[in-house]
Amino acid sequence: MFGESIKRKEDPRLLRGEGSYVDDIDMPGALHAAFLRSPAARARITSIDTTVAAAMPGVVKIYTADDLGDLDMDLPLLIPHPSMRPKTQRPLARDDVFYVGQAIAMVVATDRYLAEDAAGAIDFELDNLAVELGLDAALAPDAPVVHEDLGDNLAADLVMNEGDPDGAFERADHIVEIEVTVDRSTAAPMECRAIAARFDRLTGDLLVYDTTQAPISIRGGLASILDLDEDRVRVIAPDVGGGFGQKVMQFYPDELLVPLAAIELDRPVKFTEDRTENFISSNHERTQIHRIKLAAMNDGEVIGLVDSLVHDTGAFIPYGIAVAQVAASVIGGPYRIPNIGTHLKCVYTPTVPVSPYRGAGRPHACFALERAMDQLALDLGLDRWEIRRRNLIAADEFPYHREGLIFATGTPVIMDSGEYHESLDKLEEAIDVAGFEAKRAEAMAEGKYLGLGLGFYVEVTGVGPYEGGQIRVHPITGKVYVNTGLTGQGQGHETVYAQIVSDVLSCSVDDVIVTEGDTGVFDWGVATFASRAAVVSGSAIHKSAKLVREQIIEAAANMLESSAEDIVLEDGKAFVNGVPDRPVGFAAIATASNPLRYSFSESSQVATQFAPASQHDGPPLAEGAHPGLEATDYFSPEQDTWASGVHAAIVEIDPVTLDINIDRYVLVHDCGRMINPAIVEGQISGGVASGMGGAFYERINYDDDGNLTNASFMEFLMPYATEVPHMEMHHLETPSPLNPLGMKGVGEAGTIPVAQVIASAIDDALSHLGTSPILHVPTSPSMIHEKLVEAGHLVEE
Amino acid sequence: MKPAPFDYIAASSVAEAARARADSDYSVLLAGGQSLIPTMNFRLAQPDVVIDLSRVSELRTLEVDHSWVRVAAMVTQQKTELDPAVKAANPLIAETLARVAHPAIRSRGTVAGSIAHADGAAELPALLTTLDGEVTAVSSRGSRTISAEDLFEFHLTTTLEEDELISEVRFPVLAPGAGYAFDEFARRHGDFALAGVCVALTLQDGNCESIAIGACGIGSRPVRLREAEAALMGGTINDEEIAAAQEAARGYVTTETDMTTTQAYRRHLLAGLVGRTVRTAAARARGGE
Amino acid sequence: MALTDASNTVNVELKVNGKAVNADVDPRLLLSDYLRHELRLTGTHVGCEQGVCGCCTVHIDGHPARSCLTLVGQLDGSEIRTVEDLAGADGQLHVVQEAFHNNHALQCGFCTPGFLMSIVGHIEHEENPDLSDEGIRDAISGNLCRCTGYQNIVSAVREAIEGSDR
Ligand SMILES: Cc1cc2nc3c(=O)[nH]c(=O)nc-3n(C[C@H](O)[C@H](O)[C@H](O)COP(=O)(O)OP(=O)(O)OC[C@H]3O[C@@H](n4cnc5c(N)ncnc54)[C@H](O)[C@@H]3O)c2cc1C
Ligand code: FES
Ligand code: FES
């Protein structure tokens, strides 16, 4: 099954409308929460009066910071780092608000309509303070500060170096220096975040459904913050409608307050964000300014790179410097640049906090580096493909070490494997670079502008620390149950894990049932992020499956009175080699492996027809043995795996609208061995679509006062099908040496190079008119217009 | 995002709706709800009274006579777009409607609702303005006709009185052989346009005998580009005249530069769309002669 | 989610997935909330409550429409069809559902019911559906998907149209 594009196991229920997303889960008698959120970016709360609101129909309780007792505290700092001056927010604002959208009060009422009515009736007054949203300006000495006790807006400052960048710049024939800006965006999963909690006063059990990507961690946090026994708290991430990083952030205030209210009010409580709330209070990402310099020799060899990046972390830094550190550590991309200097600064601004969104720093780094490579090619009069070819790390240079740069997980950069040159060659041929100039000339003759762009990227994936996989064979049905701790948000884990297991155990994929993200079932593990699920959980499940396979073979050998070497597994059954007509099924083997007193199932009748599954003396269960067929194992990667790829596009620019039309979008991608190519292609395609958003459409707009002016799908331009190109995909499968199945992650890949590809294509189409390069994304027809005016090609009165 | 409470009146006739309108201080009419309900969901609109027109059967007629396409207030955009008689009488209507939102919005949204909503970027007000259409406004005081020119006051504001409602929208039938075109540019398919242009013209012996050019998205209300029309009137619609019309069009853009779009870009866009639509309309007129 | 205010209700007769329903509801109740929380037809999803994302698309009197932009009170005498009604009584998936399954046209599945209802409506009403990439993209352009990048949805629509007996 490994390597086959089988249809997904999760589809039928989702297609029938029978998925169970958090808001779908029925909790009879549930109350519903709504929040009063700050309308100001930075302000002092001078009064809050809930009297009128509390008396409104249906209202059960209104919480403000004063009602939270011990929970009125700073929320946890998830990923500490010595470079930081960390600030995290409180569940509900106390005294001050720090961004538009910050929760001030939570209303719990009998339904959401009434909860919103009451939230709107809370009387409060704010005293507005000065704000500064520009990153450079916010770092200036006289800028208004977000956190007064810090004295300035610097949230973190970190230098990482590899080799001798200064020396390289002294030696260089040529130096390129550019400044690029990537604007703020947001993950915008189609399902907003939601949480539902129920507390059982008699047993003390707290049951929480949460759209989180990290249920185990939420469970631990809830238990410790609410002072509950960890085993009494069960957190389930059921079907989740996309996450893309936004849902790995924890704790959002509601994730704590909804369970709190369920306990205190002794009623189930539900909260489902609406789209506005998702825009103004769930984490954003993307704004970074990179000032990047390349030191090159005349033949195009890049011998040094220095990047100084400023990262907008929003009003708080709960997820640490992860996004900025990813960007800094991958800034060398796929190139053999031996000397690299990075300096990152994180800046507090009075805006929604920032944590990873699909790509998490990789798209920013790729944009900065690849724009600089294009500029270098232009300066040296070299072809854009050729300059890349001259600098790509060769296949025989792996593992490639850049240990002065530390990735956000704390591991040094060691790139495991890749076939970068082959990727580039393959793409050059697939998009027919040789034939492009003729096409361009043809288009020009019709008054159209045509450009070709490309972007190369690497994707760090499959990061540690570890994940686990538990496998057990059900004694009645013989079905194989697989449990792992991380979660899915649409990536098809149920199917790919089943493929892995079905191969090892030789059973049907249909008989493998995967459960993930339910701490009541399996509660060791970390979370879904950094394209790690297939690699880390997949490898753990593979290891566990091999253990179960041994158990099955040993038991079957005993039952069939043969030796283990002679046992063949096929289609959920075992038989002695050459005797396929006397098989024993997994159900009977599992039953026989469990010394039971009672017989109640068909499989126990079957099992009695064979010899005992275990040959040992003494009590029914041998010392040290466990009943049934079951194993749990873990995988902890020694290093991260590095996927890669290169995309190119031919883009036409309409002279009237200055809109882009993508004639062809072609990509070559390498994520090691693919478990299910259709699922891989789906991941890439979705990634490219978000990348198109970041290249040309999606920008979160804050005005100078810190108001988010486009907090809706009407104005935040997430692309429809009409704005996303058809993609032609080619694959390489360079196996990773770091895990037994040779896999690498793919979740974020598609997104990474798109802004570069589009910018590079637009430049290529227009530069003959004298336009300056696109160094700021997302770009737009209006921005292209400005470039044409600047170049004197269009005249503006 | 749920609507705030309101008093709900399910009117069963125009008269009843008009009476309800007269009786309340802050009422809104609910037609297809495709503009009103989003604003209520966001609680940007919190009316005291909502007068639902969905049960008023007399407002569901769609008729074509020799001078007018008559669209009663509860006729949906989709029904109007797909009606063969409407298409025959004035194909510009369907061409323009196809650019309004998405099919799943047009199946509920009404033509009259869009006119009454009077969004400066909306296509239908520009269409009505271009064609010199009109509406019938009804109140318990009686009824009156308001021409497109007099109807649109400002973004989201018409000259309807507080107690009035639109019972019918009328678009003139296009003259036989007339050329027409609608084109617009929106960042995403189905979005409100950054600029849109509507053209109807007739030729007599190859010369432009009549022409109307209207635009949306460029100001706080739909605009007739009279100077652009003048540049083409009487001529053969050649490249030079079109260039003059395009130049003249630029000056009509009053939407200021905002966070995403400069005014200069909108001028460029408008001029380009004028060129495209005039060429298409002229070609259709020539083909039809 | 209970009725919000018993003193101010509107009574409507509807058919939902072929079954007659008499609803006595608060006039501000959105069809999306009514379907999801009162009839427990949770296949209809809510992504924006503004008409843009299309997740909540159902059929009203045979035409795709946004349930988040419709008050239950407006629907007296209407027929509503939701995603739960697409598969046959025998459980057989609708051709469009089948085509989505064959083409890996869904990932998280949150947008899927809305796409299905839009596409089924499109196929039912369009006499000569355009099978070009561009034509299909136009037809599905009122629905947002954050996961798939649309490519496989386009393939699924093509397969469904080619495969349906028209
Ligand atoms: C996602 C989305 C995209 C859209 N894109 C576009 C677009 O590109 N272009 C565009 O033009 N529109 C667009 N619209 C708006 C859509 O066309 C609306 O249907 C239309 O503007 C209003 O029609 P309605 O029948 O829904 O009116 P309603 O929403 O019911 O009413 C709108 C306003 O008009 C008033 N009103 C309604 N009927 C009457 C009447 N008979 N007399 C007096 N006042 C009345 C109401 O009180 C209300 O103030 C979009 C809507 C959505 C949700
Ligand atoms: S929820 Fe109705 S269109 Fe988004
Ligand atoms: S499949 Fe997740 S939004 Fe479409």
Side-chain angles (χ1 to χ4, degrees), chain A residues 34 38 52 109 155 408 489 562 574 602 642 649 658 709 750:
Chain A
S38 174
V52 172
Q489 297 80 33
S562 167
E602 212 176 287
W642 291 69
L658 304 179
T709 60

Side-chain angles (χ1 to χ4, degrees), chain A residues 526-543:
Chain A
V526 189
T528 301
F529 59 93
S531 309
R532 63 193 293 276
V535 177
V536 189
S537 269
S539 297
I541 288 166
H542 182 247
K543 286 171 79 179

Side-chain angles (χ1 to χ4, degrees), chain A residues 113 116-117 274 276 654-657 659 696-697 702 713-714 718 720 722-723 781-782 785 796-797, chain B residues 1-2 5 42-43 102 185 187-189 191-192 250 259-262 264-265 267-269 272-273 276:
Chain A
Y113 289 71
E116 285 188 24
D117 293 350
D274 61 35
T276 309
D654 180 322
V656 166
T657 62
D659 195 16
F696 207 65
Y697 296 98
Y702 273 106
F713 275 164
M714 197 74 126
M718 186 192 291
Y720 286 113
T722 32
E723 286 74 49
S782 185
H785 179 259
E796 248 327 303
E797 62 272 32
Chain B
M1 284 176 52
K2 309 292 179 191
F42 279 106
R43 299 199 177 209
H102 312 283
F185 175 60
R187 290 300 311 279
R188 291 180 304 185
H189 195 266
D191 280 358
F192 280 97
R250 293 167 158 266
M259 291 187 81
T260 58
T261 310
T262 64
Y265 167 68
R267 283 197 290 266
H268 169 86
L269 178 61
L273 290 173
R276 275 187 186 165

